[in-house]
Amino acid sequence: MQAMKFFMDTHDRDNGSFPADLDAAQFQAFFVQYEAACRQEGVTLLRVHLGLGAGRAFCFTMAPDAEAVRRAHERVGLPFDDITEVSSASPADLQFHLA
């Protein structure tokens, strides 16, 4: 099994990377397509934090590399501002790391 890493990518309407006037129903339909594109690229979509009114989204994924995340976006024609490799830093993560 290939090692997986965590990634966060961002989308912002002000930067042209979030569709203008997207409503909840449109997002839901798009999400199904994006999730399929992620699977095709070996990306596991863990969570999307969405601010429809603000025109912003933050996608949290697990993938072998940032290139796989980029390809998933390309499959559905979704621009992004950036893709950043991240690590988890919850209180539980820190507690177990220190043990």
Side-chain angles (χ1 to χ4, degrees):
M1 176 191 265
Q2 188 171 19
M4 301 288 270
K5 303 172 186 175
F6 293 114
F7 295 91
M8 182 74 69
D9 59 82
T10 60
H11 308 269
D12 191 321
R13 182 176 45 222
D14 291 342
N15 297 334
S17 60
F18 188 92
D21 302 322
L22 186 72
D23 65 27
Q26 291 168 323
F27 174 77
Q28 189 172 20
F30 176 79
F31 184 84
V32 171
Q33 295 171 5
Y34 178 59
E35 192 172 34
C38 285
R39 282 193 307 272
Q40 291 170 335
E41 294 297 338
V43 175
T44 301
L45 181 57
L46 299 171
R47 181 170 291 225
V48 174
H49 297 276
L50 179 65
L52 277 176
R56 299 185 81 198
F58 307 88
C59 304
F60 184 49
T61 57
M62 191 169 54
D65 53 44
E67 184 65 19
V69 178
R70 184 193 60 74
R71 288 191 310 267
H73 283 77
E74 283 183 352
R75 282 183 178 267
V76 294
L78 179 62
F80 54 86
D81 295 321
D82 53 42
I83 298 171
T84 305
E85 185 176 340
V86 297
S87 59
S88 185
S90 71
D93 295 323
L94 296 175
Q95 178 182 358
F96 292 118
H97 179 69
L98 297 175

